[in-house]
């Protein structure tokens, strides 16, 4: 029922391509590759029921990908960002407590206005309630306020 393209089963090809886009979405910042995965899976599902020529498969993939990107990206992104902004885990003393006393590297000057610091290879907004820390300085996490690290100079804690 299905025609083979260069030795590949097209249904399986589109399904695996959808998985590749899902994996790339998880590994990259932003929020758009998942929609190409949705397009690939749509073609894969259609191929289960219909014998669709390769050119039409590509057209369906592009149309579904672009349509889902335009129709769903903003809604899904705000849903996920809303969850991140609330970030229930950060208010958990056990979760946030594991960062207390950890050393950070200041990437951009940190003072009472937020700067940038690196903790465990991740960039965080950071600020101090004391002296300004210059880029390149080392600090220690005193506490966490939302998604901002409150740090002090390393020798002061």
């Amino acid at each position: 029922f299905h025609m083979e393209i260069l030795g590949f089963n097209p249904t399986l090809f589109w399904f695996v391509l959808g998985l590749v886009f899902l994996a790339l979405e998880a590994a990259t910042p932003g929020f758009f590759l998942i929609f190409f995965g949705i397009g690939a899976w749509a073609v894969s599902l259609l191929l289960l029921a219909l014998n669709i020529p390769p050119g039409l498969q590509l057209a369906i993939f592009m149309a579904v990908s672009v349509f889902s990107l335009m129709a769903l990206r903003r809604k899904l992104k705000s849903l996920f960002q809303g969850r991140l902004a609330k970030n229930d885990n950060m208010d958990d003393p056990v979760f946030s407590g594991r960062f207390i006393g950890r050393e950070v590297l200041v990437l951009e000057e940190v003072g009472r206005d937020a700067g940038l610091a690196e903790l465990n290879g991740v960039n965080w907004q950071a600020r101090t309630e004391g002296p300004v820390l210059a880029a390149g300085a080392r600090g220690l996490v005193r506490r966490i306020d939302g998604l901002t690290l409150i740090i002090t100079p390393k020798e002061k804690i």
Side-chain angles (χ1 to χ4, degrees), residues 49-115:
L50 305 169
N51 190 8
I52 303 170
L56 186 54
Q57 291 174 28
L58 186 58
I60 292 169
F61 165 70
M62 291 188 310
V64 171
S65 297
V66 170
F67 176 77
S68 63
L69 178 68
M70 291 173 45
L72 300 174
R73 184 174 187 265
R74 182 173 289 142
K75 291 177 187 176
L76 291 177
K77 188 174 181 183
S78 67
L79 173 70
F80 288 109
Q81 282 182 338
R83 291 175 117 172
L84 182 62
K86 290 178 191 166
N87 210 340
D88 298 330
N89 289 339
M90 295 305 283
D91 295 330
D92 179 357
V94 173
F95 179 81
S96 61
R98 56 181 224 190
F99 295 120
I100 306 302
R102 301 289 300 272
E103 184 174 318
V104 298
L105 171 64
V106 176
L107 301 174
E108 293 176 2
E109 183 178 280
V110 175
R112 293 200 181 272
D113 293 326

Side-chain angles (χ1 to χ4, degrees), residues 122-139:
V122 177
N123 294 349
W124 289 74
Q125 284 193 354
R127 61 181 173 84
T128 67
E129 294 175 339
V132 173
L133 299 175
R138 299 281 177 174

Side-chain angles (χ1 to χ4, degrees), residues 26-39:
T28 58
F31 190 68
F32 66 93
L33 292 175
I34 187 72
F35 301 103
F36 293 96
I38 291 170

Side-chain angles (χ1 to χ4, degrees), residues 12 18 33 98 131 134 137 148 156:
L12 183 59
L33 292 175
R98 56 181 224 190
T148 302
K156 300 253 176 153

